[in-house]
Amino acid sequence: MRDAAIIEAPSVLGLRPTGVEGLPEALLGAGLAEGLGAVRAGRVEPPAYDPERDPETGVLNPDGIAAYSVALADAVSAVLDDGRFPVVLGGDCSVLLGNLLALRRRDWHGLLFLDGHTDFYQPSAEPAGEAASMELALATGRGPRVLADLEGRGPLVRDEDVVALGFRDTEESAAYGTQPLPSALHAMELDTVRDLGAAEAARRAVGLLTGDGAGAGYWVHLDVDVLDDAAMPAVDYRLPGGLTWQELETVLRTALSDGGAVGLDVAIFNPRLDPDGSLAERLAECLLRGFDGQG
């Protein structure tokens, strides 16, 4: 296995304090660090949560998310400087911005975006102003400058260096008025993954992220709501359908076995909705199987 280092990033600044902040403790309690043989590289605490939507940007906690992204980027950078593989345990999906900022400080990188939703809202369309529904748009430079141009480095990832795989919210997002994914961004919705098979879809995704003109490796973002709702109900925004555990393990194993993978984050799992801890254990097992066999 890779020389992994776990960073706890329990921010819910882009969502609500509903329980997602307990994700790191749940997965660590399920034995993830021991299974990975990972070192613990610290915990990045978020600033205080403000439940009032910012009137200028239309986003919850924009300044707090911006500051947190810089702090998380510093922690990820330190792990990369040590030659280790960062495994960031969120939190909500807005933690992706800090992870990508750490990479953007170095070079252009790609992004394998595993999520049941496209998370491409603009604030005017997002019902509650939650950045966890817009992080992919923000990462590609779309949205309020305070979040879309962190450290003056926006976009953090180019459209053509992103593969969004496994999403299934097309009708729901369109109903709310989210902007469509840009044509240069590689979209593999759930039906496409099923048509190709998880292994082939993952191989094609990695090929797109490592081919000619690609950046210096790629980050893997995992929102656990990419999983079938029947298998992973411990999320705040439930949506029917999704990948099976085996399909997700296959995708992760393919993505993480390639030398181009430079880091992974896990977001959105809510342990308050998993009172007996069985889903945390199954998720930790899935992640360990995803890492199994990598160099």
Side-chain angles (χ1 to χ4, degrees), residues 108-284:
W108 289 111
H109 288 73
L111 170 64
L112 178 58
F113 189 82
L114 307 177
D115 199 311
H117 304 81
T118 55
D119 289 354
F120 217 76
Y121 281 96
Q122 284 295 290
S124 59
E126 212 293 317
E130 295 171 351
S133 295
M134 30 180 129
E135 82 278 0
L136 185 54
L138 295 168
T140 56
R142 298 169 173 89
R145 185 174 180 180
V146 63
L147 295 175
D149 192 24
L150 293 168
E151 295 184 340
R153 300 176 188 273
L156 300 178
V157 63
R158 299 173 295 200
D159 293 349
E160 62 268 27
D161 292 336
V162 179
V163 177
L165 188 151
F167 62 92
R168 59 188 189 279
D169 67 331
T170 307
E171 292 184 7
E172 177 190 85
S173 297
Y176 278 111
T178 186
Q179 59 185 332
L181 292 175
S183 59
L185 190 151
H186 306 286
M188 291 186 180
E189 60 186 312
L190 180 62
D191 288 346
T192 301
V193 176
R194 288 276 158 73
D195 289 343
L196 293 171
E200 178 60 22
R203 282 192 292 269
R204 292 190 186 190
V206 169
L208 290 167
L209 293 167
T210 57
D212 291 342
Y218 56 89
W219 186 271
V220 180
H221 167 71
L222 172 60
D223 177 337
V224 300
D225 70 20
V226 77
L227 281 160
D228 192 302
D229 182 68
M232 175 48 74
V235 298
D236 289 305
Y237 290 112
R238 297 179 64 174
L239 190 64
L243 298 177
T244 66
W245 286 110
Q246 182 58 54
E247 286 171 331
L248 179 57
E249 290 166 11
T250 297
V251 171
L252 289 174
R253 188 176 298 114
T254 301
L256 296 174
S257 65
D258 188 276
V262 297
L264 165 76
D265 71 67
V266 185
I268 295 300
F269 174 67
N270 188 338
R272 289 187 194 173
L273 304 176
D274 177 33
D276 65 359
S278 61
L279 291 174
E281 291 180 359
R282 185 64 183 89
L283 179 55

Side-chain angles (χ1 to χ4, degrees), residues 75-91:
V76 173
S77 294
V79 168
L80 293 171
D81 287 343
D82 285 343
R84 297 181 183 273
F85 186 91
V87 176
V88 177
L89 304 181

Side-chain angles (χ1 to χ4, degrees), residues 7-9 44 67-77 88 95-96 98-99 102:
I7 300 170
E8 299 175 56
V44 183
Y68 189 77
S69 297
V70 171
L72 179 55
D74 291 343
V76 173
S77 294
V88 177
V95 301
L96 177 63
N99 301 326

